[in-house]
Amino acid sequence: MTPVVQEVVLLPNMKNNAAAQETRRKLMDAGGEIFAERGLYAATIKQITDRAGVNVAAINYHFRDKFELYAAVVRYALSMTPTPLSAPAGRSPEERLRDDIAFMIADRYDPSRPAWRSTLLAHEFAQPTAALEAVMEELIRPRANFIEDIVRGILGPGASDDDVVRAALSIGGQCFFYLYHDEIIRRLHPGLIHENNSEELVSHITEFSLAALHAMRKRQKQAPQRR
Amino acid sequence: MTPVVQEVVLLPNMKNNAAAQETRRKLMDAGGEIFAERGLYAATIKQITDRAGVNVAAINYHFRDKFELYAAVVRYALSMTPTPLSAPAGRSPEERLRDDIAFMIADRYDPSRPAWRSTLLAHEFAQPTAALEAVMEELIRPRANFIEDIVRGILGPGASDDDVVRAALSIGGQCFFYLYHDEIIRRLHPGLIHENNSEELVSHITEFSLAALHAMRKRQKQAPQRR
Amino acid sequence: MTPVVQEVVLLPNMKNNAAAQETRRKLMDAGGEIFAERGLYAATIKQITDRAGVNVAAINYHFRDKFELYAAVVRYALSMTPTPLSAPAGRSPEERLRDDIAFMIADRYDPSRPAWRSTLLAHEFAQPTAALEAVMEELIRPRANFIEDIVRGILGPGASDDDVVRAALSIGGQCFFYLYHDEIIRRLHPGLIHENNSEELVSHITEFSLAALHAMRKRQKQAPQRR
Amino acid sequence: MTPVVQEVVLLPNMKNNAAAQETRRKLMDAGGEIFAERGLYAATIKQITDRAGVNVAAINYHFRDKFELYAAVVRYALSMTPTPLSAPAGRSPEERLRDDIAFMIADRYDPSRPAWRSTLLAHEFAQPTAALEAVMEELIRPRANFIEDIVRGILGPGASDDDVVRAALSIGGQCFFYLYHDEIIRRLHPGLIHENNSEELVSHITEFSLAALHAMRKRQKQAPQRR
DNA sequence: AATGAATGAGCCTTCATTCAT
DNA sequence: GATGAATGAAGGCTCATTCAT
């Protein structure tokens, strides 16, 4: 699992100065926070530049306009959200599923990464912009493929593509809920999520999903003609 | 299952005329569409009043301001989204689970109800306003309670509250994904959701979840001391 | 000679109210002054709305934006600048030429019409916008055609089209200089133009031009084969 | 006829290097084009520095600010527009008039001189800045004086000053129209001006004007008491 | 001598709201 | 009950200018 390298898209006649990169980073950090707090449209560039400690015109200079800044912030968030690329040899599908779920949950609450990432993406999911394309291709689809591989490993070759996809979506849906809608969960059950029980959470999702997958597999064997 | 009665909150010096009610309704219908398309902050009252075919000042007259209109639209959406309140006697928990999932999916794509409801709520989940409170109390919490009851019925009295809640969230998460994020699913797998396979979808979620619940129950029996 | 009727172009859902028309007129009067003083790009809408005594947003409401206001002001200026349409029967071409030159000069300094008209058009000539099209079709071309008719009447049927056009441009050029560049003339000869000598000015241009035309005609007769 | 020597005004602490002079010249060339295309206020220094291929800060360094650059460009245009200073001995006033008109028209379309000169001056005439003073003193007044001399030579000593001035303005007005408003002429008569007929144009203006002048002279003799 | 970066001021425009009818 | 008109506030963006290197 390696982080995506963030490609810095530079406007014409702009040198890749260290100072300029620092300003860009400050703007993207501040933009991440503000866009997550308020959304693309309710956020104002003044709020962002104030928090970044720079002048409003800096956005025009470094990103052309508010929307380009937003797109850069989304890419920035993606660059800080690693996708699983490989697994140690010898891990069973079951172990890889647990690893992956644990990985996503851990990343979500990783204190070394900005907490605004999931909120920002939640906005993007509710109100897609052009940036959703990048989110799909760099984050969602790799993860979906990864889970589908695991599912296919567990269900075996007898499973139909639709079965694989639906099972993967059932797993992904559970994770998605915790990753992007923990506000709802907190309102429903204030004490459920806290910093010391992510282990139990991961175990629950893993076991819930594995039990379902194993049952699907067993049912296929009993009715192999069904497809 | 009966729809929540929509309480019409009338501003002072406002007569409850039929004509006025008609204008209110047109504004809420148009507001539902526009707020769903653009979100609360990107939507403008002019877009709404244009689509409703009324004057801008009508919003002030009928709803005081844009935010009150939005709140009214959310309540309007809730009033059109029935919650399961009771089930026929004699249905097993398993049957009730399937009924409920089928019910939610059917309601989501019910052509007699406006399609903007889920998009509007998706916005509200990503960027909560004061209206989220009503959404929680009138839509989410009743449904969560309903599912938790079913889960408790299946897991039996030996299940811990946390187990029940987590299992219910696993089921709810799957449904939530299909109800409020079908855009993502469509982008991932364009052909997966179509009008003639909601039956298969319901079956999948139901069987996936039941298999998991039954496995949880069996494990509890084997390790009853665990809690 | 009848003034062009000013067609009021109204934006959607805008009634042709008397009060609204008054505001429109105030904005166009102020816009005429400011645009003439500063030009389209150096003028600010705040200067205009301040002088008009209305709010900045009124421009958006009545004219959509600054450029539409400018175009309306140009049309407004055209509507206040009558074009010669007919001449009393029995006037000789020579008399009609004098009448027309006198008419243009008189209109230029007519105290009952805003003085900013010519300055505004001078800007438009130096830096054409889309409005120049209207200026050409409604002001310049009718006047050019009129003068060409007179010239043709004097030169007779033996004159080539190019001769007619060039002669008309020689006359028009003289008038244009006085109409739109009196600033230059004043700087060159401060005392030349004053309110009591427009008669002499008209006489000079008329006689200068007629002498030239008559000489052209005589030369044609001497060399009729030339064409 | 010798071009006015362009005095290079150097800001303090600026060395008169060849490289610096090259940058100054590039900025003035680019500025001439852009200022002519857009006018002083619509032109931006970024457009100019981009076209010049230098950094924005160069304008501040070489010209202090945008307005000083504009003034320098106007002076630059003047320095490239020669004024008639003397005529070969033995030329009659009639011949000198033709020479001068031919000279102005030829200079206007001289491919070895930038075409933006007349457009730039047309802007300056419509919207005078402090630079107009220089234009008047270095370009317009010398030329006016020159033409007035010729006119006085033709009209003879009996002509009043006002007659001389008005006649000179009639000639200058015709030239001015062709020199600074050929856009209008092209719109009126698209085919009239082309590269191969400037001879006919010069002949027309010359003969038109001479005929008028000769008639004026004859009339004076007939009515010598008039003054 | 030149440049990349940064900034404050100001402009156009939009928007929600209110007023008068 | 509804509407056209008007308005203050604020937002995004641009621009000329300056700073530090």
Side-chain angles (χ1 to χ4, degrees):
Chain A
M1 302 181 189
T2 62
V4 172
V5 175
Q6 166 75 353
E7 269 186 62
V8 176
V9 180
L10 293 177
L11 264 37
N13 51 334
M14 186 175 293
K15 261 193 199 160
N16 201 342
N17 237 12
Q21 286 312 305
E22 175 68 9
T23 302
R24 279 181 67 91
R25 198 195 49 71
K26 282 193 292 187
L27 277 171
M28 290 193 294
D29 282 330
E33 296 177 18
I34 303 287
F35 284 135
E37 286 172 17
R38 319 237 173 174
L40 170 55
Y41 298 100
T44 74
I45 63 173
K46 185 165 186 340
Q47 291 164 348
I48 294 171
T49 52
D50 279 357
R51 188 164 302 186
V54 302
N55 187 273
V56 262
I59 286 184
N60 171 266
Y61 183 75
H62 287 282
F63 299 95
R64 184 70 67 208
D65 63 20
K66 183 188 182 182
F67 295 94
E68 287 297 320
L69 169 62
Y70 176 81
V73 168
V74 172
R75 288 196 304 270
Y76 182 49
L78 291 177
S79 77
M80 290 187 298
T81 307
T83 345
L85 291 184
S86 63
R91 298 289 277 176
S92 70
E94 284 79 1
E95 288 165 329
R96 291 171 63 209
L97 182 62
R98 170 180 297 267
D99 287 350
D100 194 45
I101 293 171
F103 176 78
M104 287 191 285
I105 299 294
D107 174 69
R108 165 71 176 83
Y109 296 101
D110 184 344
S112 77
R113 302 188 197 266
W116 51 258
R117 286 177 303 155
S118 22
T119 316
L120 183 80
L121 293 183
H123 277 110
E124 184 64 27
F125 294 134
Q127 192 164 18
T129 70
L132 182 57
E133 190 62 29
V135 177
M136 292 301 300
E137 296 312 312
E138 295 180 32
L139 182 66
I140 303 297
R141 193 176 303 280
R143 192 143 272 163
N145 290 340
F146 190 84
I147 297 180
E148 287 166 14
D149 275 352
I150 294 174
V151 167
R152 190 170 285 110
I154 294 177
L155 293 187
S160 73
D161 282 353
D162 275 9
D163 279 344
V164 170
V165 163
R166 287 205 188 97
L169 290 175
S170 284
I171 299 172
Q174 295 174 70
C175 299
F176 200 95
F177 205 40
Y178 282 100
L179 294 178
Y180 301 110
H181 292 292
D182 62 333
E183 168 74 13
I184 295 178
I185 296 176
R186 285 175 207 279
R187 290 203 182 208
L188 269 180
H189 299 290
L192 186 71
I193 304 178
H194 51 86
E195 50 184 14
N196 293 325
N197 70 342
S198 66
E199 175 70 23
E200 295 172 44
L201 172 59
V202 170
S203 290
H204 164 75
I205 299 176
T206 307
E207 284 157 25
F208 188 95
S209 302
L210 285 178
L213 291 174
H214 290 150
M216 284 178 77
R217 163 140 190 139
K218 187 184 297 178
R219 195 174 311 140
Q220 279 173 27
K221 286 185 179 161
Q222 294 166 343
Q225 74 288 1
R226 176 176 176 250
R227 202 203 147 139
Chain B
M1 305 181 189
T2 62
V4 172
V5 175
Q6 166 74 353
E7 270 185 64
V8 175
V9 180
L10 293 178
L11 265 36
N13 85 331
M14 184 176 294
K15 294 169 191 147
N16 199 346
N17 277 359
Q21 286 311 305
E22 174 68 7
T23 301
R24 278 182 65 90
R25 196 196 48 73
K26 282 194 292 188
L27 278 171
M28 289 194 294
D29 282 330
E33 295 176 18
I34 302 287
F35 283 135
E37 286 172 17
R38 318 236 173 177
L40 170 55
Y41 298 100
T44 73
I45 63 173
K46 183 162 188 344
Q47 292 165 345
I48 294 171
T49 51
D50 278 358
R51 187 165 301 186
V54 302
N55 187 272
V56 257
I59 284 184
N60 170 259
Y61 184 79
H62 287 283
F63 298 95
R64 181 75 67 208
D65 64 20
K66 182 189 184 184
F67 295 94
E68 286 300 319
L69 168 62
Y70 177 80
V73 169
V74 173
R75 289 196 304 268
Y76 183 48
L78 291 176
S79 77
M80 289 187 295
T81 307
T83 345
L85 291 184
S86 62
R91 298 289 277 174
S92 70
E94 283 79 0
E95 289 165 330
R96 289 173 62 210
L97 181 63
R98 172 180 297 265
D99 288 350
D100 193 45
I101 292 171
F103 174 79
M104 286 190 286
I105 299 295
D107 173 69
R108 165 72 175 82
Y109 295 102
D110 184 345
S112 76
R113 303 188 196 267
W116 50 259
R117 288 176 303 154
S118 24
T119 315
L120 183 81
L121 293 183
H123 277 111
E124 184 64 27
F125 294 136
Q127 192 164 17
T129 70
L132 183 57
E133 191 61 29
V135 177
M136 293 301 301
E137 296 313 313
E138 295 182 31
L139 181 67
I140 303 296
R141 194 175 302 279
R143 192 142 272 161
N145 289 340
F146 190 84
I147 298 179
E148 286 166 15
D149 275 352
I150 294 173
V151 168
R152 189 170 284 109
I154 294 177
L155 292 187
S160 74
D161 282 353
D162 275 9
D163 279 344
V164 169
V165 163
R166 288 204 188 98
L169 290 176
S170 284
I171 300 171
Q174 294 175 71
C175 298
F176 199 95
F177 205 39
Y178 284 98
L179 294 177
Y180 300 109
H181 293 290
D182 62 334
E183 168 74 12
I184 295 178
I185 297 175
R186 286 175 206 279
R187 290 200 182 212
L188 268 182
H189 298 290
L192 187 71
I193 305 180
H194 51 86
E195 49 185 14
N196 293 325
N197 69 344
S198 65
E199 175 70 22
E200 296 172 43
L201 173 59
V202 169
S203 290
H204 165 77
I205 299 176
T206 306
E207 285 156 25
F208 189 95
S209 302
L210 286 178
L213 291 174
H214 291 150
M216 284 178 75
R217 160 134 193 146
K218 187 185 295 178
R219 196 174 308 137
Q220 279 171 27
K221 286 182 177 162
Q222 293 166 343
Q225 75 288 2
R226 176 177 175 250
R227 199 209 144 133
Chain C
M1 303 182 190
T2 62
V4 173
V5 175
Q6 166 75 351
E7 271 184 62
V8 176
V9 180
L10 294 177
L11 265 36
N13 49 336
M14 184 176 295
K15 260 192 201 160
N16 202 341
N17 238 11
Q21 286 311 305
E22 174 68 10
T23 301
R24 277 181 68 92
R25 197 195 50 72
K26 282 192 293 185
L27 278 172
M28 289 194 294
D29 281 331
E33 296 176 18
I34 302 286
F35 283 136
E37 285 172 18
R38 319 235 173 178
L40 170 55
Y41 299 101
T44 74
I45 62 172
K46 185 166 187 339
Q47 291 164 349
I48 294 172
T49 50
D50 279 357
R51 187 164 302 185
V54 302
N55 188 273
V56 263
I59 286 185
N60 170 267
Y61 183 75
H62 287 282
F63 299 94
R64 183 70 69 209
D65 63 21
K66 182 188 181 181
F67 294 95
E68 288 297 320
L69 169 62
Y70 176 80
V73 169
V74 172
R75 288 195 305 269
Y76 182 48
L78 292 177
S79 77
M80 289 187 297
T81 306
T83 343
L85 290 185
S86 62
R91 298 290 276 174
S92 70
E94 284 79 0
E95 288 166 327
R96 290 172 63 210
L97 182 63
R98 173 180 296 267
D99 288 349
D100 194 45
I101 292 171
F103 176 79
M104 286 191 284
I105 299 295
D107 175 69
R108 165 72 176 82
Y109 295 102
D110 184 345
S112 77
R113 304 190 196 266
W116 51 258
R117 287 177 303 154
S118 24
T119 316
L120 183 80
L121 294 183
H123 277 110
E124 184 64 27
F125 294 135
Q127 191 163 21
T129 70
L132 182 58
E133 190 62 29
V135 177
M136 292 300 302
E137 296 312 313
E138 295 181 31
L139 180 66
I140 302 298
R141 195 177 299 281
R143 190 143 273 162
N145 289 341
F146 191 83
I147 297 179
E148 286 166 15
D149 275 352
I150 293 173
V151 167
R152 191 171 283 108
I154 294 176
L155 292 188
S160 74
D161 281 353
D162 274 9
D163 280 344
V164 170
V165 163
R166 288 204 188 97
L169 289 176
S170 282
I171 300 171
Q174 295 175 69
C175 299
F176 200 95
F177 205 39
Y178 283 99
L179 294 177
Y180 300 111
H181 291 292
D182 61 335
E183 168 74 12
I184 294 178
I185 297 175
R186 285 175 206 279
R187 289 203 183 208
L188 269 181
H189 299 290
L192 186 71
I193 304 179
H194 50 87
E195 49 185 15
N196 293 325
N197 71 342
S198 66
E199 175 70 22
E200 296 171 42
L201 173 59
V202 170
S203 290
H204 165 75
I205 300 176
T206 306
E207 285 155 24
F208 188 95
S209 302
L210 285 178
L213 291 174
H214 290 151
M216 285 178 74
R217 162 132 191 147
K218 186 184 298 179
R219 195 173 310 141
Q220 280 173 29
K221 287 184 177 159
Q222 294 167 342
Q225 75 288 5
R226 174 176 175 253
R227 201 207 147 133
Chain D
M1 304 180 188
T2 61
V4 173
V5 174
Q6 165 76 355
E7 269 184 65
V8 176
V9 180
L10 294 177
L11 265 37
N13 87 330
M14 184 175 295
K15 294 171 193 144
N16 198 346
N17 277 358
Q21 286 311 305
E22 174 68 8
T23 301
R24 279 181 65 90
R25 196 195 48 73
K26 282 193 292 187
L27 279 172
M28 289 194 295
D29 282 330
E33 297 177 17
I34 303 285
F35 283 135
E37 286 172 17
R38 319 236 172 178
L40 170 55
Y41 298 99
T44 73
I45 62 173
K46 187 167 186 339
Q47 291 165 345
I48 294 171
T49 52
D50 279 358
R51 187 166 301 188
V54 303
N55 188 272
V56 256
I59 284 185
N60 171 257
Y61 184 78
H62 287 281
F63 298 94
R64 182 74 68 209
D65 64 20
K66 182 189 183 183
F67 295 93
E68 285 299 318
L69 169 62
Y70 177 80
V73 169
V74 172
R75 288 196 304 270
Y76 183 48
L78 291 177
S79 77
M80 289 187 297
T81 307
T83 344
L85 291 185
S86 63
R91 298 289 276 176
S92 70
E94 283 79 0
E95 288 164 328
R96 291 172 62 210
L97 182 62
R98 172 179 296 266
D99 288 349
D100 194 45
I101 292 171
F103 176 79
M104 286 191 285
I105 299 295
D107 174 70
R108 165 71 175 83
Y109 296 102
D110 184 346
S112 76
R113 304 188 195 269
W116 50 258
R117 287 177 302 153
S118 24
T119 315
L120 183 80
L121 294 183
H123 277 111
E124 184 64 27
F125 294 136
Q127 192 164 19
T129 71
L132 182 57
E133 192 59 30
V135 178
M136 294 301 300
E137 296 313 312
E138 296 181 30
L139 182 66
I140 302 297
R141 193 175 302 282
R143 191 143 272 162
N145 290 340
F146 190 85
I147 298 180
E148 286 166 14
D149 275 352
I150 294 173
V151 167
R152 189 170 286 110
I154 294 176
L155 292 188
S160 74
D161 282 353
D162 274 9
D163 280 344
V164 170
V165 163
R166 287 202 188 98
L169 289 177
S170 282
I171 300 171
Q174 293 175 71
C175 299
F176 199 95
F177 205 39
Y178 283 99
L179 294 177
Y180 301 110
H181 291 292
D182 62 333
E183 168 73 15
I184 294 178
I185 296 175
R186 285 175 206 280
R187 290 200 181 212
L188 267 182
H189 298 290
L192 186 71
I193 304 178
H194 50 85
E195 49 184 15
N196 293 326
N197 70 343
S198 66
E199 175 69 23
E200 297 172 41
L201 173 59
V202 170
S203 291
H204 165 77
I205 299 176
T206 306
E207 286 157 23
F208 188 95
S209 303
L210 285 178
L213 290 175
H214 290 153
M216 283 178 77
R217 161 137 192 144
K218 187 185 295 179
R219 196 174 310 140
Q220 279 172 29
K221 286 183 180 162
Q222 294 167 344
Q225 74 290 0
R226 176 175 175 251
R227 198 207 145 134

